[in-house]
Amino acid sequence: MNQLTKFTWLLLLLGITISCKETTSKEPQEYKPTWESLSKHDATPEWFQDAKFGIYFHWGPYSVPAYGSAWYPCNMYIKGSSVNKFHEEHFGNINEFGYEDFIPLFTAEHFDPEDWAELFLQAGAKFAGPVAQHHDGFAMWNSEVNPWNAQVMGPKRDILGDIFHSLKKRNIKTLATFHHARNGQRNVSTPENWGRNGFNSHYPYHPDLPTATKDPKLKMLFGNFDTEEAFNQYWLDQVNEVVDQYQPDMIWFDSWLNFIPSSYRKEMLAHFFNEGAKNGQEVVSCHKQNDLPMECSVLDFEQGGRRDIYPIPWMTDITLGEHKWMYVEGHPYKSSALVLRNMIDVWSKNGIVLLNVSPKANGVINQEQRSILKDIGDWFKVYGEAVYGTRPYYVFGYGNAKPSQSTHDGQSAKVKYTANDVRFTISKDNKSVYLFVLGKPKTGKRMKVRPLGLHRNCTPTPIKRMIDLGTGKEVKWEMKTDNFYFTIPDAPHHAIANVYKLELE
Protein backbone atom coordinates (compact mmCIF):
# COMPACT_ATOMS: atom_id res chain seq x y z
CA MET A 1 0.00 0.00 0.00
CA ASN A 2 1.57 3.33 -1.05
CA GLN A 3 1.68 6.44 1.13
CA LEU A 4 -1.26 8.15 -0.68
CA THR A 5 -3.50 5.11 -0.16
CA LYS A 6 -2.51 4.89 3.52
CA PHE A 7 -3.34 8.57 3.95
CA THR A 8 -6.71 8.16 2.24
CA TRP A 9 -7.67 5.24 4.49
CA LEU A 10 -6.59 7.22 7.52
CA LEU A 11 -8.89 10.06 6.57
CA LEU A 12 -11.78 7.65 6.05
CA LEU A 13 -11.17 6.06 9.43
CA LEU A 14 -11.29 9.49 11.01
CA GLY A 15 -14.68 10.10 9.38
CA ILE A 16 -13.38 12.61 6.88
CA THR A 17 -14.75 12.34 3.35
CA ILE A 18 -12.87 13.50 0.32
CA SER A 19 -14.70 15.44 -2.36
CA CYS A 20 -12.85 16.14 -5.56
CA LYS A 21 -15.41 18.87 -6.34
CA GLU A 22 -14.70 20.67 -3.06
CA THR A 23 -10.95 20.23 -2.90
CA THR A 24 -10.14 21.03 -6.50
CA SER A 25 -9.50 24.70 -7.12
CA LYS A 26 -11.32 25.58 -10.30
CA GLU A 27 -12.17 28.80 -12.06
CA PRO A 28 -15.86 29.40 -12.92
CA GLN A 29 -17.00 27.90 -16.20
CA GLU A 30 -16.26 30.26 -19.08
CA TYR A 31 -18.91 29.89 -21.71
CA LYS A 32 -18.21 30.27 -25.38
CA PRO A 33 -20.84 31.13 -28.00
CA THR A 34 -21.30 27.53 -29.11
CA TRP A 35 -24.19 25.22 -28.31
CA GLU A 36 -21.70 22.64 -27.02
CA SER A 37 -20.28 25.09 -24.48
CA LEU A 38 -23.65 26.63 -23.56
CA SER A 39 -25.16 23.18 -22.92
CA LYS A 40 -22.82 22.85 -19.92
CA HIS A 41 -24.84 25.52 -18.12
CA ASP A 42 -27.35 24.30 -15.53
CA ALA A 43 -30.61 25.42 -17.15
CA THR A 44 -32.69 24.80 -14.01
CA PRO A 45 -30.71 25.51 -10.81
CA GLU A 46 -32.18 24.36 -7.55
CA TRP A 47 -33.40 27.81 -6.51
CA PHE A 48 -35.48 28.01 -9.68
CA GLN A 49 -36.99 24.55 -9.17
CA ASP A 50 -37.78 25.51 -5.56
CA ALA A 51 -39.30 28.91 -6.41
CA LYS A 52 -42.35 27.66 -8.32
CA PHE A 53 -43.97 31.09 -8.72
CA GLY A 54 -43.07 34.47 -10.22
CA ILE A 55 -44.84 37.64 -11.35
CA TYR A 56 -44.24 40.02 -14.24
CA PHE A 57 -46.19 42.85 -15.83
CA HIS A 58 -47.09 44.09 -19.31
CA TRP A 59 -46.86 47.88 -19.06
CA GLY A 60 -45.82 50.54 -21.51
CA PRO A 61 -47.10 53.23 -23.90
CA TYR A 62 -49.54 50.65 -25.27
CA SER A 63 -51.31 50.84 -21.87
CA VAL A 64 -52.43 54.43 -22.56
CA PRO A 65 -55.36 53.74 -24.94
CA ALA A 66 -56.44 50.80 -22.71
CA TYR A 67 -58.15 49.26 -25.71
CA GLY A 68 -57.72 46.15 -27.85
CA SER A 69 -54.61 44.37 -26.66
CA ALA A 70 -50.85 44.75 -26.32
CA TRP A 71 -50.88 44.56 -30.12
CA TYR A 72 -52.48 47.99 -30.28
CA PRO A 73 -49.24 49.48 -31.74
CA CYS A 74 -49.51 47.06 -34.64
CA ASN A 75 -53.25 47.08 -35.19
CA MET A 76 -53.62 50.85 -35.14
CA TYR A 77 -51.75 50.91 -38.47
CA ILE A 78 -53.97 48.31 -40.14
CA LYS A 79 -56.55 50.37 -41.98
CA GLY A 80 -60.12 49.32 -41.22
CA SER A 81 -59.31 47.22 -38.15
CA SER A 82 -61.33 47.79 -34.98
CA VAL A 83 -58.26 49.26 -33.29
CA ASN A 84 -57.59 51.57 -36.25
CA LYS A 85 -61.17 52.81 -36.12
CA PHE A 86 -60.96 53.34 -32.36
CA HIS A 87 -57.65 55.14 -32.73
CA GLU A 88 -58.84 57.54 -35.40
CA GLU A 89 -62.03 58.26 -33.46
CA HIS A 90 -60.26 59.01 -30.17
CA PHE A 91 -56.79 60.22 -31.16
CA GLY A 92 -56.91 61.17 -34.83
CA ASN A 93 -55.44 59.98 -38.09
CA ILE A 94 -52.37 57.73 -37.78
CA ASN A 95 -50.38 60.23 -39.85
CA GLU A 96 -51.15 62.95 -37.31
CA PHE A 97 -51.09 60.90 -34.08
CA GLY A 98 -48.67 57.99 -34.31
CA TYR A 99 -47.69 55.44 -31.70
CA GLU A 100 -44.83 57.68 -30.60
CA ASP A 101 -47.41 60.27 -29.49
CA PHE A 102 -48.64 57.92 -26.76
CA ILE A 103 -45.28 58.08 -25.01
CA PRO A 104 -45.75 61.55 -23.40
CA LEU A 105 -49.13 60.29 -22.13
CA PHE A 106 -47.47 57.30 -20.46
CA THR A 107 -46.76 59.25 -17.28
CA ALA A 108 -46.73 56.45 -14.65
CA GLU A 109 -47.29 59.10 -11.97
CA HIS A 110 -48.60 56.55 -9.47
CA PHE A 111 -45.87 53.96 -10.03
CA ASP A 112 -44.57 52.93 -6.61
CA PRO A 113 -41.93 50.19 -6.89
CA GLU A 114 -41.95 49.62 -3.14
CA ASP A 115 -45.69 49.01 -3.17
CA TRP A 116 -45.48 46.75 -6.20
CA ALA A 117 -42.60 44.70 -4.80
CA GLU A 118 -44.42 44.29 -1.49
CA LEU A 119 -47.57 43.25 -3.37
CA PHE A 120 -45.61 40.60 -5.25
CA LEU A 121 -43.94 39.42 -2.05
CA GLN A 122 -47.24 39.08 -0.21
CA ALA A 123 -48.67 37.18 -3.20
CA GLY A 124 -45.94 34.57 -2.69
CA ALA A 125 -43.73 35.35 -5.70
CA LYS A 126 -40.11 34.21 -5.50
CA PHE A 127 -39.03 36.02 -8.69
CA ALA A 128 -40.45 39.05 -10.46
CA GLY A 129 -39.77 41.84 -12.93
CA PRO A 130 -41.06 43.83 -15.88
CA VAL A 131 -41.60 43.25 -19.55
CA ALA A 132 -38.33 45.01 -20.31
CA GLN A 133 -39.34 45.63 -23.90
CA HIS A 134 -42.44 44.52 -25.75
CA HIS A 135 -42.84 44.26 -29.53
CA ASP A 136 -43.34 48.02 -29.69
CA GLY A 137 -39.65 48.92 -29.44
CA PHE A 138 -39.93 50.99 -26.23
CA ALA A 139 -37.35 50.13 -23.55
CA MET A 140 -38.43 50.21 -19.91
CA TRP A 141 -34.91 50.89 -18.61
CA ASN A 142 -32.31 53.66 -18.75
CA SER A 143 -30.80 52.82 -22.12
CA GLU A 144 -27.85 54.23 -24.01
CA VAL A 145 -28.58 51.85 -26.88
CA ASN A 146 -32.28 52.59 -27.43
CA PRO A 147 -33.20 56.31 -27.52
CA TRP A 148 -36.86 55.33 -27.01
CA ASN A 149 -36.72 54.53 -23.31
CA ALA A 150 -38.59 55.26 -20.09
CA GLN A 151 -35.74 57.20 -18.49
CA VAL A 152 -35.76 60.02 -21.05
CA MET A 153 -39.40 59.82 -22.23
CA GLY A 154 -42.85 59.24 -20.75
CA PRO A 155 -42.34 58.37 -17.06
CA LYS A 156 -38.79 59.75 -17.19
CA ARG A 157 -37.59 57.18 -14.70
CA ASP A 158 -35.78 53.87 -14.82
CA ILE A 159 -38.74 51.50 -14.43
CA LEU A 160 -36.71 48.29 -14.58
CA GLY A 161 -33.98 49.61 -12.31
CA ASP A 162 -36.45 50.93 -9.75
CA ILE A 163 -38.47 47.72 -9.49
CA PHE A 164 -35.29 45.60 -9.39
CA HIS A 165 -34.02 47.67 -6.47
CA SER A 166 -37.24 47.14 -4.52
CA LEU A 167 -37.36 43.42 -5.33
CA LYS A 168 -33.76 42.83 -4.26
CA LYS A 169 -34.45 44.49 -0.91
CA ARG A 170 -36.99 41.70 -0.33
CA ASN A 171 -34.71 38.90 -1.57
CA ILE A 172 -36.91 38.29 -4.59
CA LYS A 173 -35.02 37.07 -7.63
CA THR A 174 -35.14 39.45 -10.60
CA LEU A 175 -36.57 38.81 -14.06
CA ALA A 176 -36.45 40.80 -17.30
CA THR A 177 -38.51 39.66 -20.27
CA PHE A 178 -37.74 40.55 -23.88
CA HIS A 179 -40.30 40.51 -26.68
CA HIS A 180 -38.48 42.74 -29.16
CA ALA A 181 -37.35 40.02 -31.58
CA ARG A 182 -40.71 40.76 -33.24
CA ASN A 183 -39.90 44.47 -33.55
CA GLY A 184 -37.53 44.35 -36.53
CA GLN A 185 -39.02 44.84 -39.99
CA ARG A 186 -37.67 42.10 -42.23
CA ASN A 187 -37.66 41.52 -45.98
CA VAL A 188 -39.81 44.56 -46.66
CA SER A 189 -37.96 45.98 -49.63
CA THR A 190 -39.93 44.17 -52.32
CA PRO A 191 -43.49 45.05 -53.44
CA GLU A 192 -44.82 41.56 -52.82
CA ASN A 193 -44.17 42.04 -49.11
CA TRP A 194 -45.90 45.40 -48.83
CA GLY A 195 -49.08 45.49 -46.82
CA ARG A 196 -48.53 42.25 -44.89
CA ASN A 197 -49.77 42.44 -41.32
CA GLY A 198 -46.55 41.68 -39.52
CA PHE A 199 -45.95 37.95 -39.20
CA ASN A 200 -42.24 38.69 -39.46
CA SER A 201 -42.40 41.96 -37.51
CA HIS A 202 -44.69 43.73 -35.11
CA TYR A 203 -45.54 46.81 -37.16
CA PRO A 204 -47.19 46.42 -40.56
CA TYR A 205 -45.10 47.89 -43.35
CA HIS A 206 -46.08 49.79 -46.47
CA PRO A 207 -44.27 52.72 -48.11
CA ASP A 208 -47.32 54.89 -47.39
CA LEU A 209 -47.49 54.03 -43.68
CA PRO A 210 -45.72 56.04 -40.95
CA THR A 211 -43.88 52.84 -40.02
CA ALA A 212 -41.81 53.30 -43.21
CA THR A 213 -40.40 56.56 -41.88
CA LYS A 214 -36.88 57.60 -42.88
CA ASP A 215 -36.41 59.69 -39.74
CA PRO A 216 -33.16 58.32 -38.23
CA LYS A 217 -34.55 58.23 -34.70
CA LEU A 218 -38.21 57.35 -35.25
CA LYS A 219 -37.34 54.46 -37.54
CA MET A 220 -35.64 52.77 -34.57
CA LEU A 221 -38.95 52.66 -32.68
CA PHE A 222 -40.58 50.85 -35.60
CA GLY A 223 -37.64 48.47 -36.08
CA ASN A 224 -37.17 49.96 -39.54
CA PHE A 225 -33.45 49.35 -40.00
CA ASP A 226 -31.55 49.51 -43.26
CA THR A 227 -30.43 45.90 -42.93
CA GLU A 228 -31.54 42.90 -40.91
CA GLU A 229 -27.99 42.62 -39.59
CA ALA A 230 -28.23 46.12 -38.12
CA PHE A 231 -31.45 45.24 -36.32
CA ASN A 232 -30.03 41.94 -35.05
CA GLN A 233 -27.09 43.77 -33.49
CA TYR A 234 -29.50 46.33 -32.00
CA TRP A 235 -31.52 43.45 -30.53
CA LEU A 236 -28.38 41.92 -28.99
CA ASP A 237 -26.99 45.19 -27.66
CA GLN A 238 -30.17 45.88 -25.71
CA VAL A 239 -30.22 42.48 -24.01
CA ASN A 240 -26.54 42.80 -23.14
CA GLU A 241 -27.12 46.29 -21.78
CA VAL A 242 -29.77 45.04 -19.32
CA VAL A 243 -27.53 42.16 -18.26
CA ASP A 244 -24.56 44.48 -17.69
CA GLN A 245 -26.46 47.26 -15.89
CA TYR A 246 -28.94 45.30 -13.79
CA GLN A 247 -27.65 41.69 -13.37
CA PRO A 248 -31.04 39.93 -13.70
CA ASP A 249 -31.29 36.42 -12.28
CA MET A 250 -33.56 35.45 -15.19
CA ILE A 251 -34.11 36.57 -18.74
CA TRP A 252 -37.12 35.38 -20.68
CA PHE A 253 -37.86 35.60 -24.39
CA ASP A 254 -41.16 35.74 -26.18
CA SER A 255 -41.79 33.77 -29.37
CA TRP A 256 -40.21 34.38 -32.79
CA LEU A 257 -36.73 34.50 -31.30
CA ASN A 258 -35.92 32.13 -34.16
CA PHE A 259 -35.89 35.19 -36.46
CA ILE A 260 -32.70 36.25 -34.69
CA PRO A 261 -29.81 34.30 -36.26
CA SER A 262 -28.34 31.64 -33.99
CA SER A 263 -24.95 33.39 -33.90
CA TYR A 264 -26.55 36.33 -32.05
CA ARG A 265 -28.53 34.06 -29.74
CA LYS A 266 -25.40 32.12 -28.82
CA GLU A 267 -23.45 35.30 -28.20
CA MET A 268 -26.28 36.60 -26.00
CA LEU A 269 -26.43 33.46 -23.86
CA ALA A 270 -22.66 33.22 -23.48
CA HIS A 271 -22.54 36.81 -22.26
CA PHE A 272 -25.45 36.27 -19.84
CA PHE A 273 -24.02 33.05 -18.43
CA ASN A 274 -20.53 34.51 -18.04
CA GLU A 275 -21.80 37.66 -16.34
CA GLY A 276 -23.91 35.53 -14.02
CA ALA A 277 -20.92 33.41 -13.07
CA LYS A 278 -18.85 36.55 -12.51
CA ASN A 279 -21.53 37.90 -10.16
CA GLY A 280 -21.99 34.61 -8.31
CA GLN A 281 -25.48 34.07 -9.76
CA GLU A 282 -27.11 30.88 -10.98
CA VAL A 283 -28.89 32.52 -13.88
CA VAL A 284 -31.83 31.16 -15.87
CA SER A 285 -32.84 31.71 -19.48
CA CYS A 286 -36.38 30.95 -20.71
CA HIS A 287 -37.77 30.65 -24.23
CA LYS A 288 -40.82 29.56 -26.23
CA GLN A 289 -41.26 26.99 -28.99
CA ASN A 290 -37.93 25.77 -30.41
CA ASP A 291 -36.05 29.04 -30.21
CA LEU A 292 -33.31 27.90 -27.79
CA PRO A 293 -32.01 24.43 -26.86
CA MET A 294 -33.56 22.94 -23.74
CA GLU A 295 -30.08 21.87 -22.60
CA CYS A 296 -29.42 25.48 -21.58
CA SER A 297 -32.82 27.18 -21.45
CA VAL A 298 -36.26 26.55 -19.93
CA LEU A 299 -39.19 25.95 -22.28
CA ASP A 300 -42.27 28.11 -21.65
CA PHE A 301 -45.89 27.44 -22.65
CA GLU A 302 -48.04 30.55 -23.05
CA GLN A 303 -51.41 30.39 -21.27
CA GLY A 304 -51.20 26.66 -20.75
CA GLY A 305 -49.04 23.76 -19.74
CA ARG A 306 -48.26 20.10 -20.08
CA ARG A 307 -50.75 17.26 -19.79
CA ASP A 308 -48.43 15.06 -17.73
CA ILE A 309 -45.26 15.20 -15.65
CA TYR A 310 -42.16 16.15 -17.64
CA PRO A 311 -38.71 15.11 -16.36
CA ILE A 312 -37.21 18.53 -17.10
CA PRO A 313 -38.61 21.56 -15.24
CA TRP A 314 -40.64 23.82 -17.52
CA MET A 315 -42.60 27.05 -17.25
CA THR A 316 -45.94 28.56 -18.19
CA ASP A 317 -46.75 32.27 -18.40
CA ILE A 318 -50.38 33.12 -17.70
CA THR A 319 -52.28 36.36 -17.19
CA LEU A 320 -54.86 37.47 -14.66
CA GLY A 321 -56.98 38.88 -17.46
CA GLU A 322 -59.48 36.58 -19.12
CA HIS A 323 -57.50 36.99 -22.35
CA LYS A 324 -55.53 40.24 -22.33
CA TRP A 325 -52.00 40.88 -21.15
CA MET A 326 -52.07 44.69 -20.90
CA TYR A 327 -54.66 46.75 -19.06
CA VAL A 328 -57.84 47.03 -21.15
CA GLU A 329 -60.73 49.05 -19.82
CA GLY A 330 -63.63 46.79 -18.81
CA HIS A 331 -61.81 43.53 -19.55
CA PRO A 332 -62.81 40.75 -17.07
CA TYR A 333 -60.38 38.85 -14.86
CA LYS A 334 -60.15 35.17 -14.04
CA SER A 335 -61.33 34.09 -10.62
CA SER A 336 -58.81 33.40 -7.86
CA ALA A 337 -59.97 29.78 -7.80
CA LEU A 338 -59.44 29.29 -11.53
CA VAL A 339 -55.96 30.80 -11.42
CA LEU A 340 -54.73 28.98 -8.32
CA ARG A 341 -56.13 25.55 -9.16
CA ASN A 342 -54.49 25.67 -12.57
CA MET A 343 -51.24 26.74 -10.92
CA ILE A 344 -51.39 23.68 -8.65
CA ASP A 345 -51.81 21.49 -11.71
CA VAL A 346 -48.65 23.03 -13.19
CA TRP A 347 -46.63 22.45 -10.00
CA SER A 348 -47.73 18.81 -9.87
CA LYS A 349 -46.24 18.29 -13.35
CA ASN A 350 -42.79 19.79 -12.66
CA GLY A 351 -43.74 23.25 -13.91
CA ILE A 352 -43.11 26.80 -12.73
CA VAL A 353 -45.70 29.59 -13.08
CA LEU A 354 -45.03 33.12 -14.33
CA LEU A 355 -48.14 35.22 -13.66
CA ASN A 356 -48.82 38.49 -15.47
CA VAL A 357 -50.49 41.58 -13.98
CA SER A 358 -51.65 44.56 -16.04
CA PRO A 359 -51.07 48.02 -14.52
CA LYS A 360 -52.87 51.10 -15.82
CA ALA A 361 -50.81 53.66 -17.71
CA ASN A 362 -50.68 55.86 -14.60
CA GLY A 363 -49.04 53.10 -12.54
CA VAL A 364 -52.09 51.84 -10.65
CA ILE A 365 -52.61 48.10 -10.24
CA ASN A 366 -56.36 47.97 -9.79
CA GLN A 367 -58.19 46.38 -6.89
CA GLU A 368 -59.55 43.47 -8.94
CA GLN A 369 -56.03 42.21 -9.63
CA ARG A 370 -54.80 43.01 -6.13
CA SER A 371 -57.63 40.93 -4.67
CA ILE A 372 -56.64 37.91 -6.74
CA LEU A 373 -53.00 38.29 -5.70
CA LYS A 374 -54.08 38.58 -2.06
CA ASP A 375 -56.11 35.38 -2.33
CA ILE A 376 -53.10 33.57 -3.80
CA GLY A 377 -50.81 34.95 -1.10
CA ASP A 378 -53.20 34.07 1.71
CA TRP A 379 -53.38 30.51 0.39
CA PHE A 380 -49.57 30.32 0.22
CA LYS A 381 -49.29 31.45 3.85
CA VAL A 382 -51.20 28.33 4.88
CA TYR A 383 -50.16 25.77 2.27
CA GLY A 384 -46.84 27.05 0.89
CA GLU A 385 -44.98 24.10 2.40
CA ALA A 386 -46.68 21.86 -0.16
CA VAL A 387 -45.36 23.97 -3.06
CA TYR A 388 -42.04 25.70 -2.39
CA GLY A 389 -39.07 23.36 -2.57
CA THR A 390 -41.14 20.35 -3.58
CA ARG A 391 -40.83 18.06 -6.58
CA PRO A 392 -43.37 16.13 -8.66
CA TYR A 393 -44.60 12.82 -7.29
CA TYR A 394 -44.55 9.59 -9.34
CA VAL A 395 -47.90 10.64 -10.84
CA PHE A 396 -49.35 14.16 -10.98
CA GLY A 397 -52.81 13.14 -9.74
CA TYR A 398 -56.24 12.20 -11.04
CA GLY A 399 -59.77 13.53 -11.37
CA ASN A 400 -62.82 14.34 -13.46
CA ALA A 401 -61.76 17.68 -14.99
CA LYS A 402 -61.66 17.68 -18.77
CA PRO A 403 -58.46 19.37 -19.96
CA SER A 404 -58.86 21.62 -22.98
CA GLN A 405 -56.28 22.23 -25.68
CA SER A 406 -54.27 25.43 -25.48
CA THR A 407 -53.64 27.46 -28.60
CA HIS A 408 -49.94 27.12 -27.78
CA ASP A 409 -49.60 23.36 -28.11
CA GLY A 410 -50.29 22.48 -24.51
CA GLN A 411 -53.09 22.27 -21.97
CA SER A 412 -55.19 25.39 -21.42
CA ALA A 413 -54.63 27.45 -18.27
CA LYS A 414 -58.39 27.70 -17.76
CA VAL A 415 -59.35 24.12 -16.87
CA LYS A 416 -62.26 24.06 -14.41
CA TYR A 417 -61.19 21.86 -11.51
CA THR A 418 -63.35 20.76 -8.57
CA ALA A 419 -63.02 18.85 -5.29
CA ASN A 420 -63.12 15.67 -7.37
CA ASP A 421 -59.67 16.49 -8.74
CA VAL A 422 -56.52 15.61 -6.82
CA ARG A 423 -52.87 16.56 -7.36
CA PHE A 424 -49.61 15.51 -5.64
CA THR A 425 -46.17 16.87 -4.79
CA ILE A 426 -43.39 15.39 -2.66
CA SER A 427 -40.73 16.99 -0.48
CA LYS A 428 -37.14 16.85 -1.71
CA ASP A 429 -36.14 14.59 1.19
CA ASN A 430 -38.97 12.14 0.36
CA LYS A 431 -40.30 12.50 3.89
CA SER A 432 -43.65 14.08 3.01
CA VAL A 433 -46.21 13.66 0.26
CA TYR A 434 -48.74 16.42 -0.27
CA LEU A 435 -52.22 15.68 -1.56
CA PHE A 436 -54.16 18.64 -3.01
CA VAL A 437 -57.95 18.60 -3.34
CA LEU A 438 -58.79 21.25 -5.94
CA GLY A 439 -61.95 22.52 -4.30
CA LYS A 440 -63.85 22.47 -1.02
CA PRO A 441 -64.46 18.85 0.03
CA LYS A 442 -67.36 17.64 2.13
CA THR A 443 -66.64 16.84 5.77
CA GLY A 444 -66.80 13.10 6.45
CA LYS A 445 -66.40 12.07 2.81
CA ARG A 446 -64.22 8.97 2.38
CA MET A 447 -61.88 9.69 -0.51
CA LYS A 448 -60.53 6.85 -2.63
CA VAL A 449 -57.06 7.63 -3.99
CA ARG A 450 -56.34 4.86 -6.46
CA PRO A 451 -52.85 6.06 -7.55
CA LEU A 452 -51.46 5.63 -4.01
CA GLY A 453 -52.46 1.97 -3.68
CA LEU A 454 -49.70 -0.46 -2.63
CA HIS A 455 -49.57 -2.06 -6.08
CA ARG A 456 -49.54 1.28 -7.90
CA ASN A 457 -47.60 4.39 -6.87
CA CYS A 458 -47.45 4.00 -3.11
CA THR A 459 -45.30 6.32 -1.02
CA PRO A 460 -41.52 5.61 -1.01
CA THR A 461 -41.63 4.68 2.68
CA PRO A 462 -44.62 3.79 4.91
CA ILE A 463 -46.98 6.52 6.09
CA LYS A 464 -46.66 7.51 9.77
CA ARG A 465 -49.62 9.84 9.89
CA MET A 466 -51.75 12.14 7.78
CA ILE A 467 -52.75 15.69 8.73
CA ASP A 468 -54.85 18.49 7.35
CA LEU A 469 -52.10 20.99 6.52
CA GLY A 470 -54.44 23.93 7.05
CA THR A 471 -55.37 23.05 10.64
CA GLY A 472 -52.88 20.38 11.75
CA LYS A 473 -55.78 18.07 12.51
CA GLU A 474 -55.20 14.32 12.24
CA VAL A 475 -56.78 12.59 9.23
CA LYS A 476 -58.05 9.00 9.26
CA TRP A 477 -56.50 6.93 6.50
CA GLU A 478 -56.23 3.35 5.30
CA MET A 479 -53.85 1.70 2.84
CA LYS A 480 -55.11 -1.14 0.69
CA THR A 481 -53.54 -3.18 -2.09
CA ASP A 482 -55.28 -1.29 -4.87
CA ASN A 483 -56.32 1.96 -3.20
CA PHE A 484 -55.51 4.45 -0.50
CA TYR A 485 -58.44 5.88 1.48
CA PHE A 486 -58.77 8.91 3.75
CA THR A 487 -61.68 10.70 5.40
CA ILE A 488 -62.13 14.47 5.13
CA PRO A 489 -61.82 15.71 8.73
CA ASP A 490 -64.30 17.90 10.56
CA ALA A 491 -62.31 21.11 10.16
CA PRO A 492 -62.56 24.41 8.25
CA HIS A 493 -62.00 23.83 4.53
CA HIS A 494 -60.48 26.32 2.10
CA ALA A 495 -62.84 27.36 -0.70
CA ILE A 496 -60.18 27.11 -3.41
CA ALA A 497 -57.93 24.14 -2.58
CA ASN A 498 -57.03 22.05 0.45
CA VAL A 499 -53.83 20.14 1.20
CA TYR A 500 -53.30 16.98 3.23
CA LYS A 501 -49.82 16.00 4.33
CA LEU A 502 -48.70 12.38 4.45
CA GLU A 503 -45.76 12.17 6.87
CA LEU A 504 -43.52 9.23 5.99
CA GLU A 505 -41.22 7.04 8.07
Side-chain angles (χ1 to χ4, degrees):
M1 184 180 292
N2 59 38
Q3 294 299 315
L4 179 60
T5 304
K6 289 179 180 178
F7 181 66
T8 302
W9 275 105
L10 178 61
L11 289 177
L12 291 173
L13 288 171
L14 292 172
I16 302 173
T17 59
I18 300 174
S19 170
C20 295
K21 187 173 183 179
E22 293 177 359
T23 58
T24 301
S25 177
K26 186 178 180 181
E27 293 296 320
Q29 169 77 45
E30 181 177 353
Y31 298 96
K32 298 178 181 178
T34 66
W35 294 132
E36 180 182 10
S37 177
L38 297 170
S39 67
K40 297 176 183 176
H41 178 71
D42 184 359
T44 59
E46 191 165 8
W47 76 259
F48 174 72
Q49 296 184 55
D50 290 348
K52 298 295 191 255
F53 178 49
I55 294 175
Y56 76 143
F57 48 92
H58 280 67
W59 191 44
Y62 48 84
S63 304
V64 173
Y67 180 84
S69 71
W71 280 75
Y72 189 105
C74 167
N75 294 327
M76 65 177 278
Y77 291 105
I78 299 177
K79 192 65 177 175
S81 70
S82 62
V83 172
N84 175 256
K85 292 176 181 178
F86 173 89
H87 183 83
E88 297 200 343
E89 179 182 347
H90 291 83
F91 302 102
N93 186 278
I94 56 174
N95 292 294
E96 299 169 358
F97 191 105
Y99 183 65
E100 68 276 15
D101 295 308
F102 280 121
I103 296 174
L105 304 178
F106 176 46
T107 54
E109 66 269 26
H110 297 300
F111 170 53
D112 183 348
E114 287 292 299
D115 172 66
W116 286 23
E118 188 64 24
L119 177 66
F120 300 160
L121 176 69
Q122 295 304 318
K126 298 299 184 182
F127 57 91
V131 169
Q133 185 175 168
H134 205 247
H135 313 314
D136 65 332
F138 187 80
M140 296 290 281
W141 69 91
N142 183 12
S143 178
E144 294 291 333
V145 176
N146 185 347
W148 300 90
N149 70 79
Q151 179 67 56
V152 300
M153 299 177 177
K156 294 187 178 178
R157 61 186 298 181
D158 185 352
I159 300 297
L160 187 149
D162 288 352
I163 193 67
F164 269 29
H165 177 73
S166 297
L167 293 169
K168 289 177 180 179
K169 283 170 59 177
R170 292 163 174 79
N171 295 316
I172 299 174
K173 299 284 188 180
T174 54
L175 162 76
T177 77
F178 297 95
H179 310 238
H180 65 304
R182 289 294 297 266
N183 178 247
Q185 294 182 14
R186 301 175 175 92
N187 300 319
V188 294
S189 59
T190 58
E192 59 266 23
N193 288 312
W194 292 348
R196 59 185 174 75
N197 65 1
F199 272 79
N200 292 334
S201 63
H202 182 67
Y203 293 102
Y205 180 91
H206 187 280
D208 296 336
L209 286 176
T211 56
T213 178
K214 298 300 182 184
D215 180 275
K217 181 178 179 182
L218 185 56
K219 65 191 292 186
M220 297 177 75
L221 181 68
F222 295 126
N224 183 12
F225 283 69
D226 294 333
T227 66
E228 290 188 32
E229 289 74 18
F231 173 77
N232 293 333
Q233 188 62 49
Y234 181 61
W235 172 88
L236 174 63
D237 290 344
Q238 292 184 84
V239 179
N240 286 349
E241 183 178 54
V242 169
V243 169
D244 292 341
Q245 289 183 194
Y246 305 100
Q247 297 84 48
D249 295 295
M250 297 175 60
I251 56 176
W252 179 103
F253 297 94
D254 200 6
S255 57
W256 300 91
L257 187 61
N258 61 302
F259 277 102
I260 303 296
S262 63
S263 59
Y264 292 89
R265 284 178 274 156
K266 287 184 283 190
E267 187 175 341
M268 176 274 296
L269 285 179
H271 181 73
F272 179 47
F273 294 167
N274 285 326
E275 286 301 302
K278 185 189 304 182
N279 298 323
Q281 296 170 282
E282 295 178 296
V283 296
V284 177
S285 166
C286 306
H287 70 282
K288 290 184 178 176
Q289 287 132 9
N290 299 313
D291 296 349
L292 291 173
M294 290 175 64
E295 289 80 5
C296 58
S297 184
V298 177
L299 177 63
D300 177 278
F301 292 83
E302 182 177 317
Q303 286 280 58
R306 293 188 178 276
R307 292 174 176 262
D308 206 339
I309 296 173
Y310 198 70
I312 301 172
W314 52 278
M315 176 180 278
T316 180
D317 63 309
I318 60 176
T319 183
L320 288 179
E322 183 68 23
H323 303 290
K324 310 297 185 181
W325 295 85
M326 76 170 207
Y327 177 78
V328 173
E329 193 68 40
H331 184 68
Y333 297 96
K334 298 167 184 165
S335 69
S336 303
L338 183 67
V339 173
L340 185 51
R341 289 170 188 167
N342 277 270
M343 287 167 59
I344 293 169
D345 177 70
V346 170
W347 297 324
S348 73
K349 296 172 180 174
N350 209 18
I352 290 89
V353 176
L354 176 59
L355 179 65
N356 172 69
V357 299
S358 307
K360 294 183 177 182
N362 62 6
V364 170
I365 298 175
N366 64 15
Q367 190 56 51
E368 293 96 324
Q369 296 179 85
R370 287 177 177 268
S371 294
I372 300 171
L373 294 179
K374 183 180 185 303
D375 288 345
I376 293 171
D378 288 347
W379 185 90
F380 265 121
K381 288 178 176 67
V382 178
Y383 300 112
E385 173 190 333
V387 179
Y388 301 127
T390 62
R391 296 295 182 264
Y393 191 59
Y394 306 131
V395 290
F396 67 83
Y398 68 92
N400 297 333
K402 299 187 182 302
S404 56
Q405 186 73 25
S406 167
T407 56
H408 297 273
D409 301 320
Q411 178 173 295
S412 168
K414 297 195 291 184
V415 178
K416 295 180 179 179
Y417 296 104
T418 70
N420 293 317
D421 298 293
V422 169
R423 294 293 181 266
F424 307 115
T425 60
I426 188 170
S427 61
K428 286 192 291 186
D429 62 6
N430 283 354
K431 293 296 185 182
S432 302
V433 172
Y434 301 95
L435 188 156
F436 301 74
V437 175
L438 305 187
K440 187 175 183 178
K442 185 177 179 180
T443 296
K445 180 179 179 181
R446 191 169 188 251
M447 300 276 289
K448 181 174 77 172
V449 187
R450 188 173 175 83
L452 296 185
L454 282 173
H455 283 183
R456 301 188 188 283
N457 300 283
C458 68
T459 56
T461 55
I463 300 168
K464 288 194 299 185
R465 69 170 185 153
M466 186 176 186
I467 62 168
D468 177 347
L469 195 58
T471 64
K473 192 164 187 176
E474 290 270 354
V475 176
K476 294 180 180 179
W477 60 273
E478 184 180 9
M479 178 67 78
K480 295 288 188 177
T481 300
D482 289 333
N483 301 292
F484 173 81
Y485 298 90
F486 75 99
T487 302
I488 302 298
D490 184 5
H493 305 309
H494 198 285
I496 295 178
N498 293 267
V499 182
Y500 303 95
K501 179 180 180 180
L502 285 70
E503 297 180 353
L504 309 183
E505 291 182 2

